[in-house]
Amino acid sequence: MKIAMPKAQPGVVSVVVVNFRGADDTIECVSQLGAVDWPRERLDVVVVENGSGDDSLARLTAAFAGDERVRVIESAENLGFAGGSNLGAANARGEFVAFLNSDAKPHPAWVREAVAQFDTSPAVAAVGSKVLDWEGKVVDFVGGSLTWFGMGYKDHENQPDDERFREPRDILYGTGSALFVRASAFAEAGGFDERFFMFYEDVDLGWRLNLLGHRVRFAPASIVYHRHHASMRSFGPYRESYLLERNALATLYKNLSAENLGRFLPGAMALLARRAVAKSDLDSQLFDIRRFDGAADEFDATTPVSKESLASLFALDQFVEELESLSATRDELQSARRRTDAELFRLFGNMIHPLIGDSSYLSGFRAVVDAFEIEAATDRRHVLVITGDALGEKMAGPGLRAWKISEALSAEHDVRLVTWNAAKRHSDRFEVAHVQLQNERQMAVHEEWADIVFFQGYALHHFTTLQKSEKIVVADIYDPMHLEQLEQGREFGTERWTNIVRSATEVLNAQLSRADFFLCASERQRLFWLGQLAALGRINPANYAADDSLDELISIAPFGLDSTPPRHTRDAVRGVVPGIGKDDKLVIWGGGIYNWFDTLTLVRAIGALAERRPDVRLFFMGVAHPNPDVPEMAIVQQTRRLAEELGLTGRHVFFNDSWVDLDDRQNYLLEADVGVSTHFDHIETTFSFRTRILDYLWASLPIVTTRGDSFGDLVEKEGLGVSVPERDVDALADALERMLYDDAERAAAVEAVGRVREQFTWEQTLRPLVEFCRDPHPAADRVLGSLSAPIALGGAGRRSRPVTAEEKFQAISTRRHGLGRDIALARHYLTNGGVSSLIAKVRSRSEHARAGRR
């Protein structure tokens, strides 16, 4: 699959322009590149003379003879757009290869704005430009969609260019008329498929890049103006139809998973035949034996058939001809795939698009879609994610977690992230919405839309709509709120403290009683929550029969970190915060200061260490929580007061009085030498999960932390730094000194951090949730009952006596099938017929069971 490419020169952009019998356009196009806002020494232009058979080569050579940036490469034969572009790329020198149509002119910012999108992430492998008409008023390309039968089409073509098309976003493919690709990714993917010759080779390349785990971005400020000479008209429209039909089948065959290929390809071939007939004036029932009455055949061997119809037949035949080589390509590509079809379908746009409007074709289209259950395969579930945290430039742990969960699930589903707090951050991958607290009407709109409801915090408590919902519910209980309140509420006096803890416990018990699936943050937490679930009757025969490990009820999905390493983009602390110099040793406290943290011992340890190491500095990244619902806790002022009393404020201890922006935090972390987290050894600590530690792992920082929680154990076990006893000033000061000044110990810790952090990427930590949402189902005891408490069984509209647990078990399980089979059937009824269907089946089973006992 890989192709050979020359060694890329960093920062260089190679522009490939393919010429075929259009020397005037090509010369004008290349001359326009002189106005592009990109350093001349980093612009490499490759012109491919693609076997025009006229005087193009001589004219191009003469036109560019004095321009050392431009090289003319000759092909003896017409290789098509795909082959000509590959030939140009094989002679390109740049880190990025840009493909530009010869009848196009670039905007001065064309290159600069495209390269800026590559800088957003190393995962971005290709960037599609915005393409407008020659006057720059009407859209030619602002993103493309792909039908389930393999044909791509341009979204919003011929519409006015306006504010709808001003935001960058991920796309399935860019148009080959103005497309940038990393040279390394282009080589890895095998370039354009030369079997295509022309048409859909850009669609196929984009799909392959996405399939291999890369991203393709739309760059709205990277603009090209396209003249459109429609060169295919000289060859006849049927040749275009032939290429489109053939290449659409090849695109499907190469890129779809085995499961979807078995459904889509037969349907696509059936639809191809329907299109062929629709393009003719013939009746496909002419050969039906039932219509033959013995008279002369109304259709004889000399009846003309349109070339448009024959194009489809020939396309199918040539697809068969190419199957052997396509199969080899498919095997290699599928073995290397890193993303599922479901992940990529979000980029396809409207897949159920017929493209043509002939009435007979449309009826056939609907019949094929229904017969092969195409919509069921392409539909994406609706996942509602609810948080009470602020969503903006500044986000605390719960908000960030909800955001990353939304990102992870949006790969395969339509996701809507809702908060009753500030919603000032937007995503091009999922919808962000705001509801007013306890506004049932607003929340009902979102609940009705959803197939799966995921929530954290107090969402279920605040909205009756969610309490009554029959949708599949996932509860995020990574934060044991009632244990936090044991510390947070201590300062309010016994009566209020007791009420706060009781209220938090009741809120959690309601969640534990209702949800179908739970996420927690560690094995310690899971054991803790299993105990609370058992006390509420959720550890019961129904759930145990469905899965005796109970992983389908509660799984571990800790906080995560970005798999893309952080990059330093600006000075944030060193030389910026007065009192912190470029060469000082910097200890960073990531996140807020709460009552369960032992910042007082930390400040004292810094004071002790500063006496022998005067260049040590401690910086607290956040004091004012971004969520206005979270009040400043007493420990904040206590910490400030102690630092003042010890004479450390502004000399060795520094406070950021606000909160660091989410997208800026890496600049603070990367300037630090050590990350620190200190806490008290109590029940909250035992079951907590310190999200700030993940940022330290992300930034490759050695860690100094207190023992007693899961991360303290991990730091000690894996050598990520040093864990110390609680409240031990000397031990803490010694640990900080070792990580700051002992080069060997520090290097060993950094190496260990690099190894361990891969376990905590969001892709790894959220895998249980992603897997559950691929096969969402209600908890077994919610479908069949807990089998541990009496319930009323019977038909609608009449009262029945409560039955015993033994009778209930008999009512919902049979000796013939067993409980496991019943659970599987219940899932089937729920998935295919909804809650009402499931209830009807359970009632029917109950009536049969009771009738058998009479």
Side-chain angles (χ1 to χ4, degrees):
M1 190 165 63
K2 293 184 179 180
I3 61 171
M5 298 277 289
K7 185 176 181 180
Q9 299 177 10
V12 173
V13 175
S14 292
V15 181
V16 174
V17 181
V18 178
N19 176 78
F20 181 76
R21 300 177 185 175
D24 288 338
D25 284 338
T26 301
I27 292 169
E28 181 181 358
C29 173
V30 173
S31 68
Q32 294 285 344
L33 289 170
V36 168
D37 180 18
W38 191 253
R40 185 179 180 87
E41 67 276 8
R42 290 199 281 135
L43 190 65
D44 169 46
V45 182
V46 181
V47 177
V48 177
E49 204 312 281
N50 202 19
S52 297
D54 56 14
D55 62 349
S56 290
L57 179 61
R59 294 186 59 196
L60 295 172
T61 303
F64 307 130
D67 193 339
E68 60 184 17
R69 295 174 311 158
V70 183
R71 290 171 290 133
V72 179
I73 306 298
E74 180 188 11
S75 170
E77 60 177 315
N78 180 8
L79 303 174
F81 179 82
S85 296
N86 283 351
L87 179 59
N91 287 274
R93 301 167 180 163
E95 178 183 0
F96 308 103
V97 181
F99 301 95
L100 181 65
N101 265 18
S102 61
D103 57 349
K105 62 180 178 181
H107 185 279
W110 177 56
V111 174
R112 172 168 45 81
E113 292 294 338
V115 172
Q117 288 301 313
F118 285 107
D119 289 340
T120 61
S121 169
V124 175
V127 173
S129 300
K130 175 189 285 186
V131 183
L132 304 175
D133 69 345
W134 198 251
E135 289 73 33
K137 296 180 179 179
V138 175
V139 165
D140 179 52
F141 181 88
V142 290
S145 293
L146 185 62
T147 64
W148 64 268
F149 49 95
M151 288 191 166
Y153 62 96
K154 296 176 181 179
D155 298 321
H156 311 292
E157 188 176 16
N158 296 322
Q159 295 182 16
D161 180 35
D162 55 36
E163 64 278 355
R164 293 174 295 168
F165 317 123
R166 305 284 162 80
E167 293 297 323
R169 66 184 189 279
D170 283 4
I171 55 179
L172 181 65
Y173 60 89
T175 174
S177 61
L179 176 68
F180 292 74
V181 189
R182 287 188 197 271
S184 57
F186 190 76
E188 176 195 358
F192 293 114
D193 190 330
E194 297 186 18
R195 289 168 297 200
F196 282 43
F197 194 77
M198 63 188 301
F199 298 129
Y200 296 156
E201 69 289 313
D202 47 8
V203 177
D204 171 65
L205 176 64
W207 192 348
R208 275 185 282 135
L209 288 171
N210 276 288
L211 202 64
L212 294 171
H214 302 293
R215 293 166 60 194
V216 181
R217 293 286 284 174
F218 171 61
S222 173
I223 300 172
V224 159
Y225 306 97
H226 200 188
R227 183 179 275 125
H228 276 301
H229 281 310
S231 59
M232 275 300 296
R233 289 177 184 168
S234 62
F235 296 98
Y238 51 89
R239 287 187 170 88
E240 180 175 345
S241 294
Y242 162 76
L243 291 170
L244 291 172
E245 297 280 16
R246 184 196 65 178
N247 295 350
L249 293 177
T251 301
L252 284 184
Y253 183 74
K254 288 165 52 182
N255 295 295
L256 277 174
S257 68
E259 178 183 4
N260 283 323
L261 183 65
R263 175 177 293 177
F264 288 21
L265 186 59
M269 291 190 291
L271 202 59
L272 181 149
R274 190 71 170 198
R275 274 195 303 275
V277 173
K279 291 174 183 178
S280 73
D281 294 324
L282 300 174
D283 180 357
S284 63
Q285 297 183 54
L286 284 175
F287 295 161
D288 192 325
I289 197 70
R290 291 169 297 183
R291 295 180 57 172
F292 180 63
D293 58 4
D297 199 337
E298 57 186 300
F299 185 91
D300 60 39
T302 62
T303 301
V305 178
S306 80
K307 292 180 179 179
E308 277 283 299
S309 295
L310 284 177
S312 298
L313 175 63
F314 291 174
L316 181 56
D317 181 68
Q318 284 304 300
F319 168 68
V320 175
E321 184 73 18
E322 295 281 1
L323 266 177
E324 184 175 357
S325 67
L326 287 171
S327 294
T329 304
R330 171 180 170 75
D331 290 345
E332 186 176 358
L333 178 60
Q334 295 302 316
S335 66
R337 75 149 61 224
R338 296 177 187 172
R339 288 183 179 164
T340 65
D341 288 350
E343 286 181 85
L344 299 186
F345 283 166
R346 72 182 181 89
L347 301 174
F348 278 51
N350 180 11
M351 297 179 68
I352 314 297
H353 193 312
L355 294 186
I356 62 176
D358 178 87
S359 59
S360 65
Y361 171 75
L362 290 177
S363 65
F365 178 86
R366 176 44 58 185
V368 169
V369 168
D370 291 344
F372 289 92
E373 299 181 334
I374 301 297
E375 282 182 304
T378 59
D379 274 354
R380 290 157 57 84
R381 292 187 178 89
H382 293 179
V383 183
L384 178 63
V385 178
I386 307 173
T387 181
D389 237 31
L391 304 173
E393 295 304 313
K394 305 177 190 298
M395 285 200 287
L400 175 58
R401 181 172 169 88
W403 190 272
K404 291 299 182 180
I405 283 170
S406 299
E407 283 187 340
L409 295 180
S410 68
E412 300 184 9
H413 313 286
D414 293 331
V415 176
R416 187 177 291 175
L417 174 57
V418 171
T419 180
W420 59 85
N421 216 303
K424 298 179 180 179
R425 188 178 181 90
H426 301 283
S427 170
D428 60 3
R429 299 174 64 180
F430 55 88
E431 183 182 348
V432 179
H434 173 264
V435 297
Q436 295 175 324
L437 188 61
Q438 295 180 323
N439 188 315
E440 300 295 343
R441 181 182 58 81
Q442 290 180 347
M443 183 58 79
V445 172
H446 300 298
E447 188 277 338
E448 183 178 358
W449 169 85
D451 299 310
I452 304 170
V453 177
F454 174 98
F455 74 89
Q456 57 182 205
Y458 285 80
L460 195 68
H461 172 72
H462 287 318
F463 294 96
T464 304
T465 299
L466 301 179
Q467 297 168 20
K468 295 179 177 179
S469 176
E470 294 183 337
K471 304 295 177 64
I472 294 171
V473 173
V474 180
D476 190 10
I477 51 175
Y478 89 103
D479 180 11
M481 299 181 296
H482 49 347
L483 302 186
E484 281 188 358
Q485 295 301 335
L486 290 172
E487 275 299 316
Q488 189 172 339
R490 186 194 294 271
E491 61 194 62
F492 297 120
T494 302
E495 184 176 356
R496 186 178 174 193
W497 184 19
T498 300
N499 289 335
I500 288 172
V501 175
R502 179 186 295 117
S503 175
T505 304
E506 290 172 353
V507 166
L508 281 167
N509 281 342
Q511 297 177 16
L512 295 170
S513 298
R514 165 61 183 89
D516 298 290
F517 185 59
F518 302 93
L519 297 183
C520 62
S522 65
E523 184 60 36
R524 284 190 185 191
Q525 277 195 8
R526 187 171 188 271
L527 294 174
F528 172 80
W529 290 119
L530 282 171
Q532 198 158 338
L533 285 164
L536 293 169
R538 295 301 304 275
I539 310 301
N540 52 55
N543 287 331
Y544 187 79
D547 170 30
D548 56 15
S549 70
L550 297 180
D551 287 338
E552 289 192 16
L553 182 65
I554 178 168
S555 284
I556 300 170
F559 216 84
L561 54 86
D562 290 334
S563 54
T564 303
R567 293 193 318 151
H568 192 264
T569 58
R570 73 173 188 92
D571 292 335
V573 183
R574 296 180 181 275
V576 176
V577 176
I580 302 180
K582 291 282 188 180
D583 298 322
D584 289 333
K585 296 292 186 180
L586 183 60
V587 178
I588 201 159
W589 176 278
I593 303 173
Y594 311 125
N595 286 358
W596 46 87
F597 289 124
D598 184 11
T599 49
L600 303 181
T601 296
L602 176 59
V603 168
R604 291 190 178 97
I606 290 293
L609 181 57
E611 293 179 4
R612 56 185 185 270
R613 300 286 191 176
D615 62 343
V616 69
R617 302 289 186 268
L618 168 64
F619 183 78
F620 288 95
M621 275 178 60
V623 173
H625 199 283
N627 186 347
D629 295 337
V630 178
E632 182 178 287
M633 299 186 189
I635 191 63
V636 174
Q637 290 306 316
Q638 295 172 23
T639 306
R640 286 183 181 275
R641 188 161 53 248
L642 179 61
E644 287 283 355
E645 291 172 356
L646 297 177
L648 300 175
T649 302
R651 294 177 60 240
H652 298 284
V653 176
F654 302 82
F655 298 89
N656 174 28
D657 291 327
S658 61
W659 195 271
V660 171
D661 287 358
L662 177 67
D663 296 329
D664 192 34
R665 75 192 193 284
Q666 77 277 3
N667 293 312
Y668 292 79
L669 295 164
L670 291 174
E671 291 181 22
D673 296 295
V674 169
V676 66
S677 180
T678 50
H679 46 260
F680 299 107
D681 187 8
H682 48 47
I683 193 66
E684 191 278 337
T685 293
T686 302
F687 296 107
S688 67
F689 191 88
R690 307 296 176 207
T691 58
R692 73 196 60 224
I693 301 288
L694 274 302
D695 271 349
Y696 301 157
L697 292 175
W698 184 49
S700 297
L701 288 176
I703 300 166
V704 174
T705 185
T706 312
R707 295 173 189 160
D709 66 354
S710 56
F711 264 123
D713 295 345
L714 184 69
V715 167
E716 191 165 333
K717 176 184 177 183
E718 299 289 348
L720 308 178
V722 185
S723 62
V724 299
E726 67 154 348
R727 307 177 201 250
D728 192 327
V729 173
D730 292 337
L732 182 55
D734 177 65
L736 290 169
E737 186 171 28
R738 289 162 56 192
M739 288 296 101
L740 289 169
Y741 298 96
D742 189 318
D743 292 341
E745 279 207 62
R746 174 182 172 78
V750 170
E751 188 279 328
V753 166
R755 182 185 69 252
V756 170
R757 69 181 175 188
E758 297 305 314
Q759 304 171 20
F760 289 95
T761 62
W762 287 110
E763 292 85 351
Q764 294 295 326
T765 61
L766 295 179
R767 186 170 293 175
L769 177 61
V770 170
E771 291 295 332
F772 177 82
C773 290
R774 286 174 180 165
D775 178 28
H777 49 270
D781 61 342
R782 286 218 317 113
V783 176
L784 302 173
S786 70
L787 311 181
S788 60
I791 62 170
L793 296 175
R798 74 168 186 267
R799 300 175 65 183
S800 300
R801 67 172 178 83
V803 297
T804 66
E806 180 180 357
E807 288 175 324
K808 181 179 172 185
F809 184 86
Q810 292 297 327
I812 61 176
S813 64
T814 67
R815 294 177 183 175
R816 182 179 177 186
H817 294 298
L819 185 57
R821 171 64 173 164
D822 288 343
I823 292 169
L825 283 171
R827 288 184 187 171
H828 172 79
Y829 295 140
L830 188 72
T831 301
N832 293 281
V835 173
S836 59
S837 172
L838 177 61
I839 292 172
K841 293 293 182 182
V842 170
R843 284 174 176 160
S844 175
R845 292 270 314 263
S846 300
E847 290 297 323
H848 281 299
R850 295 178 66 188
R853 289 197 299 271
R854 292 185 183 130

